[in-house]
Amino acid sequence: MLTFRTRRASKGQRAQSTIEFAMVTPIFFLIFFGIINGGTLLYSRNALQHAADVGAVQIATLGNATNVDIGNAIPAMEAAGMNNVMLTTITGVTVQKEDASGSSSGETLTPDTSGCGGSPCEQQYTESGGVWTCTGICTWPSQNRDTSQSSGLAGDPDFARLTIYYTFALVGGFATYHMSASVVFRLEPQTL
């Protein structure tokens, strides 16, 4: 038979275990969801950076960004998984012409504003109902390089920046972050 003293110690131990559990549980879930959110964020960032790289390869392969984005680059980015990334929503894609300027110590790229009324020369795309449309300045400021150059590589190259804009929502919906993945690439003059 148990004595009164033994039963009291037993109840005290149960209360202590409950208090310890109540103190440790929030810390455990904070660390657990932090690891899940961090891993998902890194995966999303890498997947969308890969999609941007695939789009840049498509545009660079064709030699110019004129009228190739909706027909070639964006479908290639979608095939690379751009719209299938967890907890992200794509808000837009831009292809912006960059100017190379520099000195003997190195070159820097700045947005090209010539021929675009002082605004950066960029093609802006948004998706609605699975259809991509150009919503901003939709003209590339230079001529179509694949037909205007002589045989072989000739002329100066164009530089461009492809950017995917997206939002990332944390697991649990605590916060939403607006982010982007971009790649700068060089468009060599091509001939057919």
Side-chain angles (χ1 to χ4, degrees):
M1 182 178 241
L2 296 175
T3 64
F4 179 72
R5 182 177 277 178
T6 307
R7 281 190 219 154
R8 235 175 187 322
S10 208
K11 285 183 181 180
Q13 286 176 347
R14 282 186 292 202
Q16 180 181 354
S17 297
T18 303
I19 291 170
E20 288 173 354
F21 179 76
M23 291 175 65
V24 171
T25 301
I27 296 169
F28 169 76
F29 281 112
L30 180 69
I31 293 170
F32 179 73
F33 283 115
I35 291 170
I36 289 176
N37 282 322
T40 306
L41 176 63
L42 288 175
Y43 172 77
S44 300
R45 172 78 175 124
N46 289 338
L48 291 173
Q49 185 63 50
H50 173 70
D53 293 341
V54 167
V57 167
Q58 276 295 103
I59 295 170
T61 301
L62 295 170
N64 198 314
T66 305
N67 301 323
V68 301
D69 302 317
I70 290 179
N72 296 301
I74 291 179
M77 290 188 294
E78 287 178 330
M82 178 173 72
N83 288 332
N84 298 329
V85 181
M86 296 181 346
L87 303 175
T88 62
T89 304
I90 307 300
T91 57
V93 175
T94 63
V95 180
Q96 176 175 301
K97 187 173 185 310
E98 300 280 318
D99 277 336
S101 61
S103 61
S104 59
S105 63
E107 285 192 27
T108 59
L109 296 174
T110 57
D112 183 5
T113 57
S114 63
C116 297
S119 297
C121 296
E122 64 183 3
Q123 300 171 12
Q124 303 167 355
Y125 301 96
T126 57
E127 180 187 24
S128 178
V131 177
W132 286 91
T133 55
C134 189
T135 57
I137 300 168
C138 299
T139 57
W140 195 254
S142 64
Q143 296 178 0
N144 205 352
R145 299 179 78 77
D146 59 353
T147 58
S148 65
Q149 302 294 335
S150 60
S151 178
L153 295 177
D156 294 326
D158 279 342
F159 293 91
R161 177 185 307 270
L162 185 141
T163 306
I164 300 173
Y165 296 97
Y166 62 98
T167 58
F168 178 80
L170 294 176
V171 172
F174 299 116
T176 301
Y177 296 99
H178 299 279
M179 305 174 79
S180 65
S182 66
V183 60
V184 176
F185 56 99
R186 182 177 169 142
L187 297 167
E188 289 292 340
Q190 305 285 322
T191 60
L192 296 175

